[in-house]
Amino acid sequence: MSIDGGTFFHSNWGSTTAPADGLDHHLTVELGDNRIENFQFSYKARSGSGLGDYPKTIKVQGSNNGTDYVDIAIVEPRNENGGTIENGAEWTSAVLGDGNTYTYLR
């Protein structure tokens, strides 16, 4: 599954109040009958110098009811030199999983 390259998300940059769940923004994927145990994902950062709006930490969570989520992994995307992924660069996670299967990922 992929999301069209024209789709993008913004953080909670315009608010002085943090979201109740502590996450600036999340994307929930419902897998239906296709429960999965291991997966990986990738993203491409926006282009433009000085934007500074790349994800610094990504929390990956799983659920089987869409309400109660458990942490699967916390990743900090870095390039091959240990730097941040920004200015149009692409990044792919390692294969993630915690030994359980999930219907929802976020």
Side-chain angles (χ1 to χ4, degrees):
M1 173 201 313
S2 66
I3 295 178
D4 171 323
T7 302
F8 62 94
F9 298 93
H10 287 279
S11 66
N12 192 26
W13 66 270
S15 174
T16 58
T17 305
D21 62 8
L23 303 173
D24 280 339
H25 206 80
H26 66 264
L27 168 71
T28 301
V29 178
E30 181 180 355
L31 301 167
D33 293 333
N34 301 313
R35 295 169 56 115
I36 63 171
E37 181 176 348
N38 298 308
F39 59 94
Q40 69 184 144
F41 65 96
S42 62
Y43 77 87
K44 181 176 181 177
R46 290 176 56 187
S47 295
S49 62
L51 290 174
D53 57 356
Y54 47 87
K56 295 162 186 71
T57 302
I58 300 171
K59 182 188 292 188
V60 181
Q61 299 178 310
S63 173
N64 285 313
N65 62 15
T67 303
D68 302 309
Y69 284 85
V70 298
D71 293 348
I72 296 172
I74 296 177
V75 294
E76 295 181 350
R78 297 290 181 261
N79 64 27
E80 62 277 355
N81 299 319
T84 54
I85 307 299
E86 57 186 300
N87 199 21
E90 295 185 33
W91 176 81
T92 299
S93 75
V95 175
L96 303 173
D98 65 357
N100 297 304
T101 59
Y102 297 101
T103 304
Y104 297 86
L105 294 173
R106 72 174 185 189

